[in-house]
Amino acid sequence: MRAVQSDAVTRQAGRLGRLAVGLVVGLLGALAATGGLSLAGWALGLSCGGLGGLWLGAALVVSGRPRLGPADLVTLVRAALACGVAALVADSFTRPAPTATLVGLATTALALDWVDGRVARRTGTVSSFGARFDMEADAFLILVLSVHAIHTHGVWVLAIGLARYALLAARTVVPWLRRPTPPRHWCKVVAAIQGIVLTFDATDALPPALTTVLLLGALLLLAESFGREVAWLSRARHVARTVDARTLSRAV
């Protein structure tokens, strides 16, 4: 019986992964039809959509979820929009990117970040999978927007987009960083600030010097947020060691 259920989950995950890729292909087609899209834009957009679809399918299988919830579907749209932004950012290195389109896609994705959380709470479908999916969609959008900011500010701004992935890489070699941490609303606020500042930078509405100050401020907030998380994990590790030592001494 369990094998049958597992097969059903796997098939459903495959269908949802293909749905994710289909959304990205449709969005890229619309971008190509309205403003044109270079080979680099198509290649990166399709690559992001394909990898995202694989990740989504694998994550669903691991979580054992047979389907996406209503909030997850909103997050799926956000992820597809981020792939569209990635395609336009790839274009921007060979020709001027359509600023209005890029900013419009990023702004819509940021707005939907507020929507999916409300939908999850209203429908009672809050889950660890949904929280992880939401976090990865945020991180990917921030990464591609930080790549776009290189044009004006240089490679240092990539630190904003790569911070999340640097922490994930550290977790592969430092076991105590893998412990779960208490949810903090401040983390969502900081992530939203990164996306808003990077999107505003893409509008070219302010002098580069002023947006540099805003980006530095956003980076400092990000460093504070991740630093606090690492500090909490470090304290939790020391507490666990103390408890284990006391338990061992009592046993002896």
Side-chain angles (χ1 to χ4, degrees):
M1 182 66 177
R2 289 182 179 177
V4 173
Q5 291 177 338
S6 177
D7 289 343
V9 169
T10 301
R11 288 194 298 272
Q12 179 65 6
R15 287 193 289 269
L16 289 171
R18 291 190 292 274
L19 171 63
V21 175
L23 285 175
V24 173
V25 171
L27 177 58
L28 295 179
L31 292 175
T34 55
L37 200 60
S38 70
L39 181 60
W42 272 104
L44 185 60
L46 290 174
S47 297
C48 293
L51 291 173
L54 289 174
W55 180 90
L56 178 61
L60 284 168
V61 171
V62 170
S63 66
R65 292 171 62 92
R67 63 182 63 85
L68 294 178
D72 300 327
L73 291 173
V74 176
T75 307
L76 180 60
V77 173
R78 285 177 50 219
L81 291 172
C83 290
V85 174
L88 293 177
V89 169
D91 258 7
S92 71
F93 285 90
T94 58
R95 61 175 185 169
T99 300
T101 304
L102 190 153
V103 171
L105 292 179
T107 301
T108 303
L110 291 173
L112 289 177
D113 187 22
W114 177 78
V115 172
D116 60 7
R118 289 182 63 86
V119 170
R121 291 187 291 272
R122 289 285 182 87
T123 58
T125 55
V126 176
S127 68
S128 57
F129 168 83
R132 175 70 186 281
F133 190 16
D134 176 75
M135 186 183 303
E136 298 303 337
D138 284 343
F140 179 63
L141 178 61
I142 291 170
L143 174 61
V144 295
L145 287 173
S146 68
V147 172
H148 183 265
I150 289 176
H151 293 300
T152 308
H153 305 282
V155 295
W156 69 266
V157 78
L158 274 177
I160 294 176
L162 292 176
R164 158 75 177 163
Y165 300 99
L167 182 59
L168 289 178
R171 286 175 177 169
T172 64
V173 294
V174 183
W176 57 268
L177 286 175
R178 302 170 199 161
R179 292 173 179 267
T181 56
R184 289 190 301 131
H185 180 67
W186 177 242
C187 294
K188 289 289 294 179
V189 172
V190 170
I193 290 173
Q194 310 306 309
I196 291 170
V197 171
L198 285 165
T199 300
F200 198 77
D201 173 69
T203 65
D204 295 325
L206 294 176
L210 182 53
T211 54
T212 296
V213 172
L214 293 175
L215 288 168
L216 284 171
L219 180 58
L220 287 174
L221 286 176
L222 190 61
E224 182 276 335
S225 180
F226 281 148
R228 185 183 298 185
E229 181 176 336
V230 172
W232 187 94
L233 289 167
S234 179
R235 289 194 300 270
R237 175 187 56 160
H238 290 303
V239 169
R241 283 181 175 178
T242 302
V243 171
D244 290 343
R246 289 175 180 173
T247 301
L248 180 60
S249 64
R250 289 172 183 171
V252 173

